Amino acid sequence: ATTLGASAQQSGRYFGTAVAANKLSDSTYVGILNREFDMVTAENEMKIDATEPNQNQFSFGNADRIVNHAISQGKRVRGHTLAWYSQQPGWMQRMEGSALRQAMINHITQVASYYKGKIYAWDVVNEAFADGSSGGRRDSNLQRTGNDWIEVAFRTARAADPNAKLCYNDYNTDDWTHAKTQGVYRMVQDFKQRGVPIDCVGFQSHFNPQSPVPSNYQTTLQNFANLGVDVQITELDIEGSGSAQAQNYQRVTQACLAVARCAGITVWGIRDSDSWRSSGTPLLFDGSGNKKAAYTAVLDAL
Ligand code: XIL
């Protein structure tokens, strides 16, 4: 096939991108989006600060713009994200304890119910584990409500939208030997053993020279899949250019294709100029919307 989405579909997978609502009026951007991708993640518009700017007052306008565009174009949507330490509205940042726990539950219930039936998979909890060698949880106001906050979030999301896949999503969990990877693995293993509803693990996969594609990336994906969950590459971008960048993109694509339960790949933006990385050229299309070597390498690997 001649597009990323159609090529991914040949093996039952998807190929997605992050989308920003304020770029839906950019015809070059929308042209590439409509042509190449069959899955969409809102880059910021479904985060807590966007959807609940004031407590119990929900705001879905920008998220709806993205969801409606995706659905009208026959694309599916990944929901991102229901519970996260970052991009919380001010009112939530100032909360703690049982009030915060209740606010989290209400947020998940309201947002997942609003989008019920429209979301392929939710990143229920994002980035809850610490970097470094501890393998433990990241400190946050949510974590301080009690260690069970993650399973409560998953159970709440399942009750609100029983047909959405429920994912745990994080970064620096790509190298099998890292303590953070092991910590997330043990949590998923525990959830599966105790019947906490979890269907998928998202690997953000923001790679750069300090944090390159690890040699054991495929092993990591396979080991998580062996727990009985799908794995998804959820926010892929790779710093670099030319053939070195293309080879890294190809390796990531091949790793997903080699793991039966790797459901699909999402890149974190369309053109280099759309990237959240202020400098650099980490995406598949250049600033003018031309296909890069990395694009061809991915398409060839799919
Ligand atoms: C980023 C967005 O791309 C930026 O526009 C925003 O300013 C900050 O968040 N991990 C995640 C994503 O899960 O939500 C982040 O997205 C990138 C890192």
Side-chain angles (χ1 to χ4, degrees), residues 148-161:
D148 63 342
W149 73 278
I150 298 182
E151 62 188 87
V152 169
F154 275 84
R155 289 201 167 96
T156 305
R158 181 69 100 221
D161 187 355

Side-chain angles (χ1 to χ4, degrees), residues 42-44 47 80-81 84 87 123 126-127 169 171 204 206 235 268 275-276:
E43 186 172 359
N44 290 296
K47 293 173 181 176
H80 175 79
T81 175
W84 190 19
Q87 290 184 266
D123 290 331
N126 197 33
E127 300 182 348
N169 192 53
Y171 67 92
Q204 292 184 8
H206 296 292
E235 303 182 15
W268 206 240
S275 173
W276 70 306

Side-chain angles (χ1 to χ4, degrees), residues 169-174 202-208 211 213-214 217 221 232-239 249 252 265-268 276-277 282:
N169 192 53
D170 214 329
Y171 67 92
N172 280 352
T173 50
D174 315 289
F203 297 81
Q204 292 184 8
S205 306
H206 296 292
F207 294 121
N208 54 60
S211 163
V213 185
Y217 188 59
L221 298 179
Q232 304 178 6
I233 297 167
T234 53
E235 303 182 15
L236 179 62
D237 50 24
I238 309 179
E239 262 310 326
Y249 264 104
V252 170
I265 299 172
T266 295
V267 288
W268 206 240
W276 70 306
R277 303 296 203 191

Side-chain angles (χ1 to χ4, degrees), residues 10-270:
Q10 290 172 344
S11 69
R13 293 180 173 83
Y14 64 81
F15 206 100
T17 181
V19 167
N22 63 9
K23 290 179 181 155
L24 289 174
S25 54
D26 176 332
S27 60
T28 305
Y29 181 88
V30 173
I32 301 171
L33 168 63
N34 290 354
R35 185 184 76 223
E36 294 287 343
F37 300 97
D38 62 351
M39 184 73 75
V40 162
T41 306
E43 186 172 359
N44 290 296
E45 293 80 351
M46 284 194 191
K47 293 173 181 176
I48 313 172
D49 58 354
T51 52
E52 195 178 356
N54 301 297
Q55 190 173 11
N56 218 23
Q57 289 181 4
F58 292 85
S59 162
F60 295 115
N62 284 328
D64 280 349
R65 259 167 228 128
I66 293 172
V67 170
N68 292 339
H69 183 89
I71 291 174
S72 73
Q73 291 285 324
K75 308 178 193 308
R76 292 183 290 172
V77 178
R78 296 190 77 264
H80 175 79
T81 175
L82 295 170
W84 190 19
Y85 78 90
S86 183
Q87 290 184 266
Q88 293 182 359
W91 65 265
M92 185 179 274
Q93 292 177 33
R94 292 187 289 270
M95 279 184 116
E96 59 183 17
S98 57
L100 174 60
R101 176 65 67 91
Q102 211 46 54
M104 177 194 82
I105 291 169
N106 184 55
H107 180 81
I108 294 171
T109 301
Q110 297 299 323
V111 177
S113 299
Y114 181 82
Y115 285 112
K116 182 181 178 180
K118 294 185 173 176
I119 303 295
Y120 160 71
W122 267 111
D123 290 331
V124 178
V125 171
N126 197 33
E127 300 182 348
F129 277 73
D131 294 311
S133 58
S134 77
R137 300 284 182 84
R138 173 195 295 276
D139 179 53
S140 71
N141 59 346
L142 289 166
Q143 178 61 31
R144 290 190 294 270
T145 68
N147 211 47
D148 63 342
W149 73 278
I150 298 182
E151 62 188 87
V152 169
F154 275 84
R155 289 201 167 96
T156 305
R158 181 69 100 221
D161 187 355
N163 293 323
K165 290 183 184 288
L166 305 183
C167 301
Y168 176 77
N169 192 53
D170 214 329
Y171 67 92
N172 280 352
T173 50
D174 315 289
D175 187 325
W176 178 244
T177 65
H178 277 179
K180 187 173 177 181
T181 309
Q182 294 295 313
V184 174
Y185 179 86
R186 284 192 298 271
M187 179 188 73
V188 176
Q189 185 176 50
D190 171 57
F191 280 12
K192 293 301 285 184
Q193 281 168 357
R194 291 191 296 113
V196 178
I198 184 167
D199 306 301
C200 36
V201 175
F203 297 81
Q204 292 184 8
S205 306
H206 296 292
F207 294 121
N208 54 60
Q210 290 69 48
S211 163
V213 185
S215 58
N216 56 24
Y217 188 59
Q218 183 183 319
T219 299
T220 303
L221 298 179
Q222 186 65 60
N223 287 344
F224 275 88
N226 290 347
L227 291 174
V229 289
D230 286 353
V231 293
Q232 304 178 6
I233 297 167
T234 53
E235 303 182 15
L236 179 62
D237 50 24
I238 309 179
E239 262 310 326
S241 62
S243 63
Q245 180 182 48
Q247 277 177 27
N248 281 321
Y249 264 104
Q250 191 153 51
R251 278 194 50 222
V252 170
T253 307
Q254 285 168 344
C256 181
L257 272 280
V259 174
R261 291 200 72 161
C262 183
I265 299 172
T266 295
V267 288
W268 206 240
I270 296 179

